[in-house]
Amino acid sequence: MSNAINQMIASELNVRNEQITAAVTLLDDGNTVPFIARYRKEVTGGLDDTQLRNLESRLGYLRELDDRRKVILKSITEQGKLTPELQAEIQGADSKTRLEDLYLPYKPKRRTKGQIAIEAGLAPLAETLWQQPNHEPEATASGYINADKGVADTKAALDGARAILMERFAEDAALLDKIRRQLQNNAELTSRLVDGKEQEGAKFKDYFEYNEPLKNIPSHRALALFRGRNEGFLQLSLNADPQQDEGVRGSYCEVMIADHYGVTLGSQPADSWRKQVISWAWRIKILMHMETELMSALREKAEDGAMQVFADNLKDLLMAAPAGPRITLALDPGLRTGCKVAVVDQTGKLLDTATIYPHQPQRQVAQSEASVLALITKHNVNLIAIGNGTASRETDSFVATLLQDNNLKIQSVMVSEAGASVYSASELAANEFPNLDVSLRGAVSIGRRLQDPLAELVKIDPKSIGVGQYQHDVSQSMLAKRLDAVVEDCVNAVGVDVNTASPALLTRVAGLNTTIAQNIVNYRDENGRFDARTTLKKVARLGPKAFEQCAGFLRIMDGKNPLDSSAVHPESYAVVKTIAATNSKPVDAIIGNSEFLKGLKAADYTDDKFGLPTVTDIISELDKPGRDPRPEFKTATFAEGVNEVKDLIPGMVLEGVITNVTNFGAFVDVGVHQDGLVHISALSDKFVSDPREVVKAGDIVKVKVMEVDLQRKRIGMSMRLSDEPGQEKPARKPQGQRQQPREQRQPRGNSNRDNRSQGNNGAMGGAFAAAFANAKKK
């Protein structure tokens, strides 16, 4: 069956079967996705990390499907009911749904009404009335009365016969497949308010009277509906016939049942009874089954979409431009408790701390200025990081005045605090700073995440970073798995300096785990810095397989071998030596020698072990050794005097930073403690099907303030700077596309800065006039 699975995945990914077979073999041998994607291109035909992640996920599903198939075949065989035709259908089932449909008639279950009726001898009655409608039901049923078997009268006999047929229809895999496709394409999901819950469930008011085709419901709207139901405010149901007049009782699916069995209902004696059987089978058995199944499928699809949004945003955040190794003074703003200050050196090592009170109620401005100036002078600070929580704009203004008054050319940058307090209270932070106050640890984290977002954010559970969409409404285990894969891919794409990396960062390197990562740090602490990749082999529990997987992603800066600071894998050093020897040059002379390297032909240095993709990568890496794939560091400039929502005026054009991207738009921080919403329709003059086509988390953008709701602290914005407040200009949409209701989101509605993602899960819907983002910070 494994070859069939490989062929199916190859078809889905549109690649050759040999590529999938090779990749599956590598995965089964314990190789990691980053290693395969980077260093086994010849073997897989160049499958990238995204393809490999999809392959890995699909492989798991299909193997589970195959295991279930074996269990089902064994069960039916033991019942003595497996026919060649049924076996072929089961072997050909390409989804768990289809497989379970086929198994339904044979699945062990509690005694049903249909089974009891069969035991009572009513199966012939059911067959007669169904196949020969010229029989009169009552008269025919009279011959099956048997009090000893529980059939007291003709009504009981007819009820039993009906139960037999209803269960047969509900377990007919072919019929279920037809009806499922009909409902998937045509049914609507209906939402209604639970009686008496109007005030309590006001946040779901857009769904009190709501209908939408099942196939069109986007993930964020589906999850909002399910949340409303789970919280007891909404009743959800499936409308199988949305085009049908309300007065019509029958369903088109009843017609499908009759057609499936070749039944024509007319005026024959049994037709009224047969029609009742079909109607009851549909309403009582099949509809309930389908409603449960299709809503479950909708939720699964919605959860997958929400997790993908989170994964995409997390990747953008982790791959944000680092400010680099600069001595940084970080401030974690606060009012009553003061601003926590920490200074870290180029490597993130803590140098100094302080607490200042420049704001109300203490307002010790002069003393605060003196403290900060002393730290700047003492440590030669050249970068300042300011957390974006409570009093962030006040602190930003304080720092700007200080720098201006003292003629200091130091860059000041606002940094997201999301997850900082989670790190501060973590075991990791306690081990790193056992004698440091928890609040000061947060300041250290803010400074480090400006220097290198990736290196610092890996210390925090990705779910605490708060760039998700309905993250608390999805499977937490699946979300964690998806996000862990993103973190792993990002860390390995950038590479890790083994002599400065934290255990948290090392843990994310391909082939390493928590134990080995800590062992690397322990070895470093006991023996000093690593001077060669080969020294890693001396680390406890870092065996040959782990070394193979991790070596190419670990960097040794200024080590014995210049190649150790590059992404060239040690197994490929021989290729570099061959290139150098062939051209009569030392290895260090060809590293970074672009003119020389551009004149090389990769094909001249291939052999049985190292093919063209590997040699091409090696030459590219030698040209720019250890290059960082992340973008150039840039910052947004917040407008002076615009510090709170009340300072915003419709029509203002401001610079801001994209903090979160969802399926319905993007949120922008313009420095007023609340993120504004740019709805998907206001991202561009052109039609936008996915906001990520236009923006991603971390982008610096210009926005125009369209609407401000001071009471609810909500801001509506547009990236179409020609738009005018009060004059909504809908974006062009493809012909025939149905206009969906615009969304209302609350990106940062909680007071706790690390629970902002909770606010990302508010109810959706409503007109654009209400499409603001409640983005309270702290």
Side-chain angles (χ1 to χ4, degrees):
M1 196 66 192
S2 59
N3 189 50
I5 290 176
N6 293 347
Q7 289 178 343
M8 185 178 296
I9 297 175
S11 176
E12 293 171 354
L13 296 182
N14 195 27
V15 298
R16 301 190 314 278
N17 185 47
E18 306 84 68
Q19 292 176 272
I20 299 300
T21 301
V24 169
T25 300
L26 287 168
L27 288 169
D28 287 344
D29 286 344
N31 293 285
T32 63
V33 167
F35 176 79
I36 297 171
R38 175 76 186 184
Y39 298 113
R40 291 296 180 264
K41 291 182 179 179
E42 287 99 332
V43 181
T44 68
L47 295 179
D48 61 30
D49 53 359
T50 300
Q51 290 173 308
L52 288 166
R53 292 291 181 195
N54 290 335
L55 183 159
E56 189 177 38
S57 175
R58 187 64 172 147
L59 180 65
Y61 176 89
L62 292 176
R63 282 180 169 174
E64 288 176 5
L65 177 67
D66 200 35
D67 289 341
R68 180 61 176 159
R69 191 192 327 271
K70 292 174 183 176
V71 170
I72 288 173
L73 286 171
K74 180 181 178 182
S75 173
I76 300 175
T77 299
E78 290 174 349
Q79 296 175 42
K81 297 177 181 179
L82 185 65
T83 64
E85 293 77 16
L86 177 59
Q87 182 173 5
E89 284 193 280
I90 291 174
Q91 292 287 9
D94 59 359
S95 71
K96 293 178 181 178
T97 299
R98 175 64 177 167
L99 196 58
E100 296 302 331
D101 281 352
L102 292 168
Y103 187 41
L104 267 177
Y106 312 96
K107 192 173 186 178
K109 57 179 80 74
R110 290 180 298 178
R111 291 176 72 230
T112 63
K113 290 181 179 179
Q115 289 174 329
I116 293 171
I118 291 173
E119 292 168 4
L122 297 176
L125 173 61
E127 289 296 330
T128 298
L129 294 178
W130 184 249
Q131 300 294 343
Q132 303 175 45
N134 58 320
H135 285 69
E136 203 284 320
E138 290 284 343
T140 308
S142 63
Y144 291 85
I145 296 174
N146 187 335
D148 293 338
K149 293 185 178 181
V151 186
D153 50 29
T154 58
K155 180 180 182 303
L158 291 173
D159 286 347
R162 183 174 61 239
I164 292 171
L165 293 173
M166 287 170 61
E167 289 181 17
R168 182 187 302 172
F169 300 165
E171 295 177 349
D172 187 326
L175 174 62
L176 293 178
D177 187 56
K178 289 180 182 179
I179 292 178
R180 181 181 294 111
R181 282 188 275 115
Q182 162 67 16
L183 296 177
Q184 287 171 336
N185 291 326
N186 300 288
E188 281 189 348
L189 183 63
T190 297
S191 172
R192 297 293 181 263
L193 172 69
V194 173
D195 290 343
K197 297 283 189 175
E198 185 169 0
Q199 294 299 321
E200 190 179 355
K203 64 181 178 180
F204 295 101
K205 63 182 179 181
D206 297 307
Y207 301 112
F208 288 174
E209 292 287 333
Y210 165 85
N211 307 286
E212 185 168 4
L214 196 66
K215 64 181 180 181
N216 293 345
I217 302 176
S219 63
H220 55 272
R221 199 139 60 232
L223 292 174
L225 287 162
F226 287 123
R227 172 180 286 189
R229 182 181 67 176
N230 293 342
E231 294 184 7
F233 302 124
L234 301 178
Q235 292 178 327
L236 304 184
S237 61
L238 197 67
N239 182 358
D241 302 277
Q243 307 302 325
Q244 190 168 277
D245 293 338
E246 291 186 10
V248 180
R249 295 189 60 187
S251 169
Y252 175 66
C253 291
E254 295 176 25
V255 177
M256 294 180 66
I257 295 172
D259 289 345
H260 178 74
Y261 292 107
V263 169
T264 302
L265 297 174
S267 57
Q268 296 194 70
D271 279 346
S272 179
W273 182 83
R274 295 200 300 173
K275 182 177 181 181
Q276 184 188 63
V277 170
I278 292 173
S279 179
W280 282 34
W282 161 244
R283 289 187 289 109
I284 296 174
K285 290 285 188 180
I286 300 176
L287 176 58
M288 293 177 64
H289 171 76
M290 285 295 168
E291 184 171 270
T292 300
E293 177 190 307
L294 292 178
M295 284 195 185
S296 177
L298 177 62
R299 171 177 278 281
E300 184 177 333
K301 181 180 178 182
E303 287 190 5
D304 185 70
M307 286 188 282
Q308 189 58 49
V309 167
F310 200 152
D312 290 340
N313 284 334
L314 178 63
K315 180 178 180 179
D316 292 337
L317 195 62
L318 294 175
M319 296 299 283
R326 300 161 65 180
I327 299 175
T328 303
L329 183 146
L331 295 104
D332 185 356
L335 294 172
R336 182 182 57 82
T337 57
C339 298
K340 310 303 178 184
V341 186
V343 180
V344 293
D345 70 7
Q346 297 95 326
T347 65
K349 179 182 178 181
L350 179 62
L351 299 176
D352 219 331
T353 63
T355 301
I356 61 175
Y357 300 89
H359 313 309
Q360 297 290 355
Q362 292 92 337
R363 197 155 177 76
Q364 300 173 3
V365 179
Q367 298 95 316
S368 299
E369 287 184 348
S371 295
V372 174
L373 279 172
L375 291 171
I376 290 174
T377 303
K378 177 181 178 181
H379 300 291
N380 195 25
V381 169
N382 52 33
L383 184 65
I384 296 178
I386 302 172
N388 68 343
T390 297
S392 61
R393 290 310 302 276
E394 294 87 342
T395 304
D396 185 42
S397 179
F398 162 77
V399 169
T401 301
L402 180 150
L403 296 177
Q404 184 176 1
D405 290 349
N406 293 276
N407 196 28
L408 295 173
K409 306 298 182 184
I410 300 176
Q411 188 176 16
S412 174
V413 182
M414 198 77 75
V415 179
S416 170
E417 292 182 354
S421 65
V422 173
Y423 162 76
S424 302
S426 69
E427 182 180 355
L428 182 64
N431 291 335
E432 193 171 6
F433 301 110
N435 301 316
L436 192 65
D437 184 81
V438 171
S439 59
L440 288 169
R441 294 174 188 166
V444 175
S445 181
I446 289 168
R448 286 175 168 179
R449 68 174 60 185
L450 178 59
Q451 293 176 324
D452 190 337
L454 179 60
E456 190 63 19
L457 290 174
V458 294
K459 301 176 183 178
I460 304 169
D461 180 353
K463 291 183 288 185
S464 299
I465 296 176
V467 290
Q469 170 184 290
Y470 281 85
Q471 68 186 69
H472 302 289
D473 292 86
V474 305
S475 166
Q476 296 302 292
S477 60
M478 290 297 294
L479 178 62
K481 184 177 180 180
R482 182 83 64 93
L483 299 185
D484 284 344
V486 171
V487 176
E488 182 182 31
D489 288 343
C490 289
V491 168
N492 290 284
V494 172
V496 173
D497 185 340
V498 72
N499 284 312
T500 61
S502 67
L505 186 59
L506 288 167
T507 299
R508 300 292 189 168
V509 174
L512 303 184
N513 55 33
T514 303
T515 301
I516 299 177
Q518 188 59 55
N519 289 346
I520 290 174
V521 174
N522 293 342
Y523 185 94
R524 191 174 71 199
D525 292 342
E526 294 170 7
N527 300 280
R529 69 187 307 278
F530 289 90
D531 58 6
R533 278 172 168 164
T534 52
T535 310
L536 287 165
K537 296 179 180 179
K538 298 179 180 180
V539 174
R541 303 189 67 175
L542 202 160
K545 188 66 175 182
F547 179 80
E548 177 192 53
Q549 299 297 305
C550 75
F553 304 109
L554 295 175
R555 310 281 189 266
I556 309 287
M557 312 308 293
D558 301 318
K560 293 180 180 179
N561 189 332
L563 293 176
D564 283 351
S565 65
S566 72
V568 177
H569 197 282
E571 67 184 11
S572 304
Y573 284 2
V575 176
V576 181
K577 292 178 180 178
T578 299
I579 293 173
T582 302
N583 293 277
S584 303
K585 293 178 180 290
V587 170
D588 56 0
I590 67 174
I591 298 176
N593 190 341
S594 297
E595 184 177 353
F596 165 73
L597 293 168
K598 288 178 180 177
L600 296 177
K601 293 182 180 179
D604 294 341
Y605 303 96
T606 60
D607 56 28
D608 293 340
K609 186 176 181 181
F610 303 105
L612 191 61
T614 294
V615 177
T616 300
D617 279 351
I618 290 172
I619 294 174
S620 177
E621 180 62 22
L622 291 175
D623 188 21
K624 296 180 179 179
R627 63 192 181 281
D628 194 323
R630 292 173 291 183
E632 181 184 355
F633 179 67
K634 296 179 181 178
T635 61
T637 303
F638 294 148
E640 290 292 332
V642 181
N643 302 323
E644 301 178 47
V645 176
K646 67 181 182 181
D647 298 326
L648 295 174
I649 300 173
M652 277 184 169
V653 175
L654 303 169
E655 189 168 87
V657 181
I658 301 291
T659 59
N660 198 0
V661 181
T662 69
N663 288 338
F664 56 84
F667 294 103
V668 184
D669 180 4
V670 293
V672 295
H673 305 302
Q674 283 82 14
D675 288 349
L677 169 65
V678 179
H679 190 267
I680 186 172
S681 62
L683 287 170
S684 172
D685 285 316
K686 299 180 179 179
F687 169 75
V688 177
S689 60
D690 179 358
R692 290 180 59 82
E693 296 172 1
V694 182
V695 292
K696 65 180 185 298
D699 281 355
I700 298 170
V701 296
K702 292 277 189 181
V703 294
K704 178 175 281 189
V705 178
M706 301 301 292
E707 300 181 64
V708 181
D709 185 331
L710 288 176
Q711 184 177 359
R712 294 189 291 175
K713 293 187 177 180
R714 293 184 173 182
I715 312 159
M717 297 176 170
S718 176
M719 283 176 54
R720 301 182 306 196
L721 302 185
S722 61
D723 285 357
E724 294 299 330
Q727 297 180 359
E728 185 181 343
K729 178 184 177 183
R732 179 175 60 83
K733 61 180 185 294
Q735 185 176 0
Q737 174 163 320
R738 173 177 174 176
Q739 184 72 25
Q740 299 294 345
R742 294 205 172 108
E743 321 304 343
Q744 177 177 329
R745 294 298 299 277
Q746 299 179 346
R748 292 194 270 187
N750 291 314
S751 58
N752 187 315
R753 68 186 177 198
D754 294 319
N755 286 331
R756 289 172 186 165
S757 56
Q758 296 270 6
N760 267 351
N761 302 300
M764 316 301 241
F768 185 59
F772 298 105
N774 179 357
K776 291 181 181 178
K777 295 185 178 180
K778 252 187 177 181

